[in-house]
Amino acid sequence: MTTQVQQERFVGKALRRKEDPRLITGRATYTDDMSIPGMLYAAIVRSTEAHARITSIDTSEAKQHPGVAAVFTGDDLEGVEAPIPMVWAPPGVEVKVPEHWPLAKGKVGYVGHAVALVLGTDKYGVIDAAEKVIVDYEPLPAVVDVEKALEDGSPVIHEEYGTNKCFEWSLGGGDIEAALNEADVVVERRVVNHRTAGGAIECRVHLADYRAGNLTLWSSTQIPHILQLLLSLQLGMSEEKIRVIAPEVGGGFGSKLQCYPEEVLVCWAARKLGRAIKWTETRSENMTTTHHGRDQVAYVRMGAKRDGTLTGIHSRIIQDLGSYHLIEGPVIPCLGAFVMSGPYKFPAVQTDIVGVFTTKFATDAIRGAGRPEATHMIEMCMDQMADELGMDRLELRRKNFIPKDEFPAELPLGVIYDSGDYEGTLDKLLEHVDVDAFRKEQAELRERGVYRGIGFSTWVEICGLAPSRVVGPGGFGLQAGYWESAQVRVNPSGTATLFTGSSPHGQGHETTFAQIVADRIGCTPEQVEVIHGDTDMGPFGMGTYGSRSLAVGGESAARAAEKVRAKASEIAAHLLEAAPEDIELNDGKYQVRGSPDKAMGLADIAGAAYIPEDLPEGMEPGLSEQTFYDPENFVWPFGAHACVVDVDVETGKVDIVRYVAVDDCGPAINPLLIDGQVHGGIAHALGQALFEQVVYDEDGQLVTGTFVDYALPTAAELPSFETDRTETPSPTNSLGVKGIGEAGTIACSPTVTNGVIDALKPLGVTWIDMPLTPMRVWQTIQEARGSGTGPRATEQGTQVDGHGSGSAGSGPTAPSEGGAS
Ligand code: MCN
């Protein structure tokens, strides 16, 4: 089989998305558009307490409500064979996994914890009935501060463990203490990365139907096949009896990469009652019980020699996990540990993580999942270090970049960066951003009382999840493989159908994957129908998240298409009386090399394959091939971002003047889609940096239950982004591609935060934590003006000052309780 494409007609072209006409004309089908005769609607009674024992639940009045068919509580869950699964945790350490049932059994651990399920014939009637369920609670103390949760004397959420500490895990390479000891300057910072929501436009909807022993779940999920497998374990049903379909999903951003209690409940109840059941999430439920992300406090130490040579970086991360896990919460901060070197040559790197229970909802994978947090720490500290050394921020970065000619580069952590040209993306960024001219403009503006600043980040990401030998049971502990599947079927008329195990929910795979297949088999993208998100169609798949789909699923599609092309070439050679190696694919025709008149199109070849009167000796009829592709390595995209901000020092308001992103995700399959992904990714992180925050009060009540309170920005709050690319192929896959779906999110938050600090330096501001709300910025300015204290670095052997972030509580030294080994 050859993997060489003789001619790319569609790959690399900025084609418009095939999926857009149906989406923008309202012709797409979401789960909530569907109904089944006899269907019941579900409403969920949720805990109003953050932490409490349930002393009684009275469902009698609710059951009398007109149209109510059934009301269930945790005691009724016979047939749910296992608690909500947690399938991915750091390996080699004990991770505490409290039992998390789809309906609470005896105790609640977060506001919104499902307590009862109400089913009825009327969509609104079930909500009225749910209000008639009377739950008595014996309140227990809430635990909302992740650092206090580790202190002696803190209320313990899961009494059986006697502690709120869930796990400790470390990843390192090199001798970190020696590295920091030999540094001339050590910068120490406490970095707070606050809790955020996924904020998908469409809330979750789950519709289950059980007929003749077969269960079908239509769900707004990113992982239909994995969900099918998990449901089979939950419900004690054989996998092939369960079909999961993801119709239009409406965005996920990681928040639909899950096996949610509601998904289990509708399936269980549909089986129990023999009726279809639909649950539609409200926005406030989405904010409360669709998983959150980030929420960690990190203590970072970065060391360097006086000349700017970095010696090491150590971070101790305290991760707020909420009170119960969903499928992979504990692993999220650990993913960040793999990129704690950033694009730099740190001789020693160490990350120690402690996961902590609090009485909040679970944190889990939200766009970037651990890597934005890590990049924020590194890039904030790089600027701090440059200031301490009196060195230019970009010069410090350049001095420490892993040079282009050292790839593939094995890092002290043991990971191998596949390819990179970090100078290249920074150089290209500086073609767009004239820093000298900016500094002149900045000085002039300052004279007029305008505080303008510029921030940068140079970043690297691990994605394209991933080699099973690294991520799976023998490696990082996931009880699964991490390949992706594809089947390319050429139909008798010469059009094609691609079945992919990837499960897009906004990423445009129907377009990009069709471009890849079309080039490889000799048709147009319009002639390639991409089928995804249905466990009854095509081979088993692993879904879409972790910017894995193109590098793993797209490569799988390319490989299946190459197999098809190899067979098509053999058929063409046979019919054109030539040797198979003399057949080349030119402009959509299989032709004999050097004889353009001896050529056949795919339709003719397909006809010959399906009406097998004259096939090569021993060849099977048909033209359809399947691949499972398990990559040898991750892929490591990278880039350089810059952000120009104006800060109104009277009000604290931050305005983004310019945002420029230069990213490298290998050769573009579709530059238009890459731009869209980068735009969306930046919007996600700009939202976090400036506005968005999930806030719980001290009683564990969620106070940001709407988009207004949560402050999700709209297009009106965001600037026009300027994007550019370099293309450094990855040697990991034949397409040379790397992921781009999370790039903007990973790069952006330190870029804008560094920009704000740059603008406010004349006022003595040297540090600020997100979100950079007017209040936070204004307070930070007042504190700097008042005390002049900001964080300091140590010349070796001297004491470190406190932090000027305005964050209450601890200084820069991590509390010893819960200290990772
Ligand atoms: N692409 C390309 N050329 C490249 C690299 C990527 O044309 N060299 C294209 C791909 O073909 C694909 C898109 O860019 O169409 C994103 O590809 P990839 O980086 O492989 O990411 P995934 O498809 O696996 O998407 C997952 C990623 C993640 S992890 C989150 S979170 C996220 C994101 O994508 N959630 C999204 N982008 C989103 N976009 C939308 N609209 N909605 C979400 O929920």
Side-chain angles (χ1 to χ4, degrees), residues 17 222 250-254 366-368 371 505-509 512-513 544-551 665-671 673-674 677 737-742:
R17 299 201 317 175
Q222 300 176 216
F253 311 108
I366 293 292
R367 203 172 196 165
R371 293 152 292 162
H505 41 281
Q507 292 86 351
H509 298 169
T512 44
F513 285 21
T544 286
Y545 44 89
S547 302
R548 69 186 301 270
S549 301
L550 179 61
C665 56
I669 301 300
N670 186 327
L673 270 75
I674 291 178
Q677 288 295 313
V737 294
K738 306 181 177 193
I740 195 67
E742 296 157 293

Side-chain angles (χ1 to χ4, degrees), residues 192-433:
V192 180
N193 207 306
H194 61 278
R195 191 175 269 247
T196 64
I201 291 301
E202 298 298 329
C203 292
R204 290 188 285 129
V205 186
H206 313 307
L207 166 60
D209 191 27
Y210 186 82
R211 275 164 207 250
N214 288 299
L215 175 72
T216 305
L217 173 70
W218 290 267
S219 180
S220 45
T221 180
Q222 300 176 216
I223 48 163
H225 289 92
I226 298 176
L227 185 57
Q228 175 200 35
L229 177 61
L230 295 175
L231 285 172
S232 83
L233 301 171
Q234 296 267 289
L235 299 171
M237 280 179 73
S238 191
E239 214 175 323
E240 80 287 357
K241 297 282 179 199
I242 301 177
R243 179 179 186 183
V244 177
I245 303 171
E248 223 65 78
V249 171
F253 311 108
S255 71
K256 294 170 182 167
L257 158 57
Q258 212 44 274
C259 174
Y260 276 109
E262 296 84 356
E263 282 168 318
V264 178
L265 284 176
V266 294
C267 291
W268 170 80
R271 182 176 64 178
K272 188 171 179 71
L273 301 184
R275 292 180 74 169
I277 312 274
K278 176 153 95 175
W279 175 74
T280 301
E281 187 183 48
T282 63
R283 177 57 65 189
S284 54
E285 284 180 304
N286 181 268
M287 297 307 288
T288 315
T289 51
T290 284
H291 74 242
H292 299 147
R294 321 280 186 255
D295 209 357
Q296 56 177 237
V297 178
Y299 291 86
V300 187
R301 293 183 293 156
M302 181 188 279
K305 293 286 197 189
R306 266 267 151 240
D307 69 354
T309 306
L310 297 169
T311 61
I313 181 164
H314 174 255
S315 65
R316 175 167 142 68
I317 297 173
I318 304 168
Q319 174 69 42
D320 189 332
L321 297 164
S323 53
Y324 294 91
H325 306 304
L326 290 170
I327 66 174
E328 56 180 5
V331 90
I332 301 304
C334 308
L335 295 175
F338 287 91
V339 288
M340 274 310 295
S341 291
Y344 311 115
K345 280 186 108 165
F346 279 106
V349 184
Q350 173 82 21
T351 307
D352 300 321
I353 297 169
V354 53
V356 183
F357 293 118
T358 61
T359 51
K360 301 182 213 164
F361 193 57
T363 50
D364 206 299
I366 293 292
R367 203 172 196 165
R371 293 152 292 162
E373 297 92 312
T375 305
H376 195 82
M377 290 175 221
I378 304 164
E379 290 304 295
M380 294 296 297
C381 288
M382 286 299 281
D383 267 29
Q384 303 282 308
M385 178 61 83
D387 285 352
E388 291 302 334
L389 294 171
M391 206 169 162
D392 178 80
R393 293 179 284 172
L394 296 180
E395 194 192 322
L396 176 66
R397 287 173 166 85
R398 275 189 202 279
K399 185 177 175 66
N400 290 284
F401 278 156
I402 300 166
K404 185 182 175 179
D405 56 10
E406 287 188 14
F407 290 93
E410 182 161 2
L411 271 67
L413 285 175
V415 296
I416 298 175
Y417 284 7
D418 56 349
S419 63
D421 179 7
Y422 306 142
E423 292 260 358
T425 43
L426 183 53
D427 287 343
K428 196 147 201 183
L429 181 79
L430 297 180
E431 287 172 20
H432 295 272
V433 179

Side-chain angles (χ1 to χ4, degrees), residues 135-221:
V135 187
D136 277 334
Y137 298 101
E138 177 195 325
L140 297 166
V143 182
V144 288
D145 182 314
V146 71
E147 291 184 278
K148 288 191 182 149
L150 280 179
E151 287 172 5
D152 286 342
S154 164
V156 170
I157 299 159
H158 304 290
E159 296 96 338
E160 63 274 29
Y161 304 134
T163 172
N164 291 320
K165 193 193 296 175
C166 171
F167 72 91
E168 288 181 71
W169 183 80
S170 297
L171 182 72
D175 183 341
I176 191 64
E177 291 310 324
L180 293 173
N181 279 335
E182 78 185 31
D184 295 321
V185 174
V186 176
V187 161
E188 299 196 27
R189 296 292 179 268
R190 176 179 185 268
V191 186
V192 180
N193 207 306
H194 61 278
R195 191 175 269 247
T196 64
I201 291 301
E202 298 298 329
C203 292
R204 290 188 285 129
V205 186
H206 313 307
L207 166 60
D209 191 27
Y210 186 82
R211 275 164 207 250
N214 288 299
L215 175 72
T216 305
L217 173 70
W218 290 267
S219 180
S220 45
T221 180

